[in-house]
Amino acid sequence: DPAWFGLAFLLHRPYTHQRCEFLKYLEKNGIENRPIISGNFIRQPCISTFCEEEHPENYPGAEVIHSRGFFVGVHQIPLDQAVIKQLVDIMLAFPFSPYHFTLVTGSNGMLGRYIRDVVSEQSSSTEILDSKPQKIRTKDSEWIFATREDGDLRRVEDVQYIFKRYQPTRVIHCAARLASFQQMSAKPVEYWFDNVTMNNNILKTAYEFQTWIGQIKLVSILSTVMFPKDAQFPIDTSSIYNGSPHPASESYAYAKRSLAQLTQWYRTEYHCNFVSILPCNFFGAYGDFNPRTAPLVNALIAKIENQNPSIPLQMMGTGQPLRQIMFAEDLARIILWSLENYSEDQPLIVAGEEVSISQLVQLIAQQMNYQGVIQFDNDTNKDGPLRRTADTCVFAKLYPTFRMTSLSLGIQKTIEWFRN
Amino acid sequence: DPAWFGLAFLLHRPYTHQRCEFLKYLEKNGIENRPIISGNFIRQPCISTFCEEEHPENYPGAEVIHSRGFFVGVHQIPLDQAVIKQLVDIMLAFPFSPYHFTLVTGSNGMLGRYIRDVVSEQSSSTEILDSKPQKIRTKDSEWIFATREDGDLRRVEDVQYIFKRYQPTRVIHCAARLASFQQMSAKPVEYWFDNVTMNNNILKTAYEFQTWIGQIKLVSILSTVMFPKDAQFPIDTSSIYNGSPHPASESYAYAKRSLAQLTQWYRTEYHCNFVSILPCNFFGAYGDFNPRTAPLVNALIAKIENQNPSIPLQMMGTGQPLRQIMFAEDLARIILWSLENYSEDQPLIVAGEEVSISQLVQLIAQQMNYQGVIQFDNDTNKDGPLRRTADTCVFAKLYPTFRMTSLSLGIQKTIEWFRN
């Protein structure tokens, strides 16, 4: 007789919104129930006037009991098995439908903004709830787009506060501190500490908060800088660690490698549903358009925009090397898909169309109606590897119907954003 | 006229002990001087009675001024260049002789204890100053042997407290959290976090405290587990990152790799005199003698000790693989030598004699007067790589006169310690 008064239940976090409905349903089916007395006292209107300085979010255990807990009374006469089975059957017959709380870190970055756009367009019932952090409600999730203003992810207290406050059931971890190769190679210590600390804090907190929240799906975003500097193509997940990354972004790359490893270790040690996505080169609106620091396509757009067409445009190298290029909006769609569909151990490599640098420059010039001459200096020393093709067959198998935006359309959209 | 009253000077930390002598010397040579008025007020006997709760160590800036600062008066009539040169000449003519403060972390480990032993024997004037942490005074340094009792290196506050308190000019960072392969592979998250956090805290704090202390020499101890699992011999520093480490100690190994990298990044970004030593297999007294978790030689000693000589001793594998084995006391001597003599970018690889596993077993059995039969099961699957020879030629060039203890003498000393 472990329970002499009542059986305590907790709904999983994604079913919080169904608590009232569920309790009414139980009552209708003859199962008496009550709220659990302790709850979160700070939310009690009278008590809150005595402790105005306290935030209910600081008591995550009480919050959980408050919002998701209930008692079912224990009968004074022992029940037989059939009645207990009936109780269970009634409970499970309820039409549970999960409603998620999805936290996106780094929401001011290029990728974070595309994720927000795709989320906004995915549901006609989108409702913008708040602006700091920006919150959007869709039919299956509330989305919390956190930025630097909502907390410094290098401070574990800030990360804990965000988790206490929003109790996310899903996390898309896009936040990273990066800069031009020149800046990163000048300050390796800072780029190592900032990135590794953010990643450690996010994964550790997500793991620890599973006690309150239940299983959390966490998707981390990696980077091709992780690949060894002289990797043989096609690069797959088995070759990521076969050599040092490029020295120009070494400490940033090692922080991404440790993020991939930690993701893996949380899976093996605690069976966490943490996964990682490893995207190749991507481009798009919202991003950096500084010719010296921006991703390849964005830098080319900025360069051509500022070029006097009567002077030949000078490009470094031969233009022959092939690169996989992807529109950031496609990556955003894949990341959102992965929340539901990707649960494998290995980082999921995704990449776009493979084109030569010269084809790419021609394409951009054409879209921008640039009429001037384009000249490559044909210095092979500036080319870098001729191909760095990554193996995307795992993704192709898992999501065969996914259609990437054509490069020309992606570039066109990016130019439009850049010009307006 | 920047100074209307006096010129403020700070002695470097290793000359703290000469401050009084130096000030008397200045006075004798006609250079008037005074203590800097602010100093550390909490050390003022009267004031200290009003703030008994305060620790003077919590004010490292005031401490520095207190213990190493002084004023030289400025003459009311501008001095000519010759007089200023004379002032400088007098100051530099003082017989400065550095006296270091050397912090050893992980002093309860096998290596830490050998370092303490070698330090104790190096000077006849050794004076044991304190027991918590154990402090030893030799003719050129005060040695602070910190253990878990003196602070949890995973807490940055504890590390800062140790640095505030002892202001070390040299650090030997031996502390690490390790266990058997079985334990480490079961809890990769913990071994990653604990080790990477300790390392990050130690290096970051040492860098930051250079503001108060002046340049700090820091020697970190790495491990052969860093090497790729199927590294080709001879392994040198260029091959450390050419592949994943052995999965059994993967997260520990990655934490060591990141220690080596961070050491390197502090050198390139801030010109810190941080170096690292990468020792191969070592053995000795004080260590673990649990047959399942101890280093190779220690485990064999424990195994043979408990063996009934009338039953054949079963060994796994063929006994053919070659391994480099080193007495921990030799490693301690090399680490102490590196404080003065090693300032290169690359981890310094050091290793002992190369012997086959079967030779090693014979040698230990002989030293232990074990008369029983020894049988290898000759299962080549249990052998691991046939050789994992590391390239020690850099060390051999830098310290050609170093003589390693013979394997048999090292083993003999270890057995003696184990039996008593």
Side-chain angles (χ1 to χ4, degrees), chain B residues 389-406:
Chain B
T389 321
D391 184 344
T392 58
C393 69
V394 172
F395 174 68
K397 255 182 225 160
L398 288 171
Y399 196 176
T401 59
F402 186 81
R403 287 290 159 267
M404 296 270 178
T405 308
S406 74

Side-chain angles (χ1 to χ4, degrees), chain A residues 186-190 192-193 196 200 204 241-244 250-251 254 257-258 261-262 265-266 268-270, chain B residues 186-190 192-193 196 200 204 241-244 250-251 254 257-258 261-262 265-266 268-270:
Chain A
K187 294 203 161 290
V189 173
E190 280 64 26
W192 162 256
F193 272 122
V196 106
N200 287 355
K204 196 167 193 288
Y241 303 107
N242 287 341
S244 306
E250 194 182 56
S251 79
Y254 276 121
R257 285 189 180 185
S258 85
Q261 287 150 1
L262 194 58
W265 296 329
Y266 269 113
T268 50
E269 185 173 345
Y270 296 113
Chain B
K187 294 202 162 289
V189 173
E190 281 63 28
W192 162 255
F193 271 122
V196 105
N200 287 354
K204 195 167 195 288
Y241 302 107
N242 287 341
S244 306
E250 194 182 56
S251 80
Y254 276 121
R257 286 188 179 186
S258 85
Q261 287 149 3
L262 194 57
W265 296 328
Y266 270 112
T268 51
E269 186 172 344
Y270 297 112

Side-chain angles (χ1 to χ4, degrees), chain B residues 129-175:
Chain B
L129 294 170
D130 207 340
S131 62
K132 186 176 173 299
Q134 191 165 44
K135 279 161 81 178
I136 294 178
R137 192 194 292 283
T138 60
K139 75 172 194 312
D140 68 346
S141 180
E142 188 173 306
W143 299 79
I144 302 109
F145 292 96
T147 69
R148 222 165 294 177
E149 284 185 21
D150 303 298
D152 182 340
L153 304 182
R154 295 170 301 184
R155 290 168 41 88
V156 73
E157 302 80 8
D158 287 19
V159 175
Q160 286 167 345
Y161 176 76
I162 291 171
F163 273 74
K164 277 178 196 163
R165 177 146 198 182
Y166 304 109
Q167 297 186 40
T169 57
R170 308 190 302 194
V171 178
I172 299 175
H173 175 38
C174 298

Side-chain angles (χ1 to χ4, degrees), chain B residues 49-100:
Chain B
T49 60
F50 291 103
C51 42
E52 287 176 348
E53 299 293 297
E54 286 287 357
H55 294 280
E57 293 86 6
N58 286 331
Y59 303 89
E63 280 286 271
V64 164
I65 293 171
H66 186 95
S67 60
R68 288 150 47 198
F70 60 93
F71 267 133
V72 167
V74 170
H75 206 280
Q76 63 268 45
I77 299 163
L79 300 177
D80 67 28
Q81 286 298 320
V83 178
I84 292 171
K85 188 178 177 307
Q86 198 188 352
L87 173 73
V88 172
D89 287 345
I90 290 172
M91 282 188 156
L92 294 182
F94 182 79
F96 283 113
S97 76
Y99 187 79
H100 284 285

Side-chain angles (χ1 to χ4, degrees), chain B residues 12 30 44 60 71 131 142 240 243 279 284 287 302 312 334 336 374 379 382:
Chain B
H12 280 304
Q44 211 281 338
F71 267 133
S131 62
E142 188 173 306
I240 295 174
I334 292 168
L336 292 168
I374 297 169
D379 180 347
K382 292 176 189 156

Side-chain angles (χ1 to χ4, degrees), chain A residues 224-245 257 278 346-347 349 388-391, chain B residues 241-244 254:
Chain A
T224 41
V225 297
M226 293 166 65
F227 290 137
K229 63 175 177 297
D230 20 75
Q232 298 300 304
F233 71 90
I235 303 160
D236 62 18
T237 53
S238 71
S239 52
I240 296 175
Y241 303 107
N242 287 341
S244 306
R257 285 189 180 185
L278 202 171
Q346 296 298 319
I349 297 181
R388 300 200 63 184
T389 321
D391 185 344
Chain B
Y241 302 107
N242 287 341
S244 306
Y254 276 121

Side-chain angles (χ1 to χ4, degrees), chain A residues 143-181:
Chain A
W143 300 79
I144 303 108
F145 293 95
T147 68
R148 222 165 293 178
E149 284 185 21
D150 305 299
D152 182 341
L153 304 182
R154 296 170 300 185
R155 289 168 41 86
V156 74
E157 303 80 6
D158 287 20
V159 174
Q160 286 168 343
Y161 177 75
I162 291 171
F163 273 76
K164 276 178 197 162
R165 177 143 196 185
Y166 303 109
Q167 297 187 39
T169 57
R170 310 190 302 194
V171 178
I172 299 174
H173 175 37
C174 299
R177 190 178 161 219
L178 82 167
S180 71
F181 284 163

Side-chain angles (χ1 to χ4, degrees), chain B residues 169-285:
Chain B
T169 57
R170 308 190 302 194
V171 178
I172 299 175
H173 175 38
C174 298
R177 190 177 162 221
L178 83 167
S180 70
F181 284 162
Q182 207 182 0
Q183 290 165 313
M184 291 198 288
S185 62
K187 294 202 162 289
V189 173
E190 281 63 28
Y191 287 91
W192 162 255
F193 271 122
D194 286 351
N195 284 293
V196 105
T197 311
M198 280 197 279
N199 299 336
N200 287 354
N201 287 344
I202 290 283
L203 268 63
K204 195 167 195 288
T205 306
Y207 161 66
E208 287 168 356
F209 272 72
Q210 293 194 145
T211 314
W212 313 118
I213 294 171
Q215 189 162 62
I216 294 175
K217 175 69 173 265
L218 186 144
V219 182
S220 290
I221 314 304
L222 307 174
S223 160
T224 40
V225 296
M226 291 167 65
F227 290 137
K229 62 176 180 296
D230 20 74
Q232 299 299 306
F233 71 90
I235 302 161
D236 62 18
T237 53
S238 70
S239 52
I240 295 174
Y241 302 107
N242 287 341
S244 306
H246 195 285
S249 50
E250 194 182 56
S251 80
Y252 177 76
Y254 276 121
K256 284 289 188 197
R257 286 188 179 186
S258 85
L259 174 57
Q261 287 149 3
L262 194 57
T263 300
Q264 183 65 53
W265 296 328
Y266 270 112
R267 294 180 67 84
T268 51
E269 186 172 344
Y270 297 112
H271 310 289
C272 292
N273 194 2
F274 292 179
V275 300
S276 55
I277 310 279
L278 202 171
C280 294
N281 259 324
F282 58 89
F283 70 95

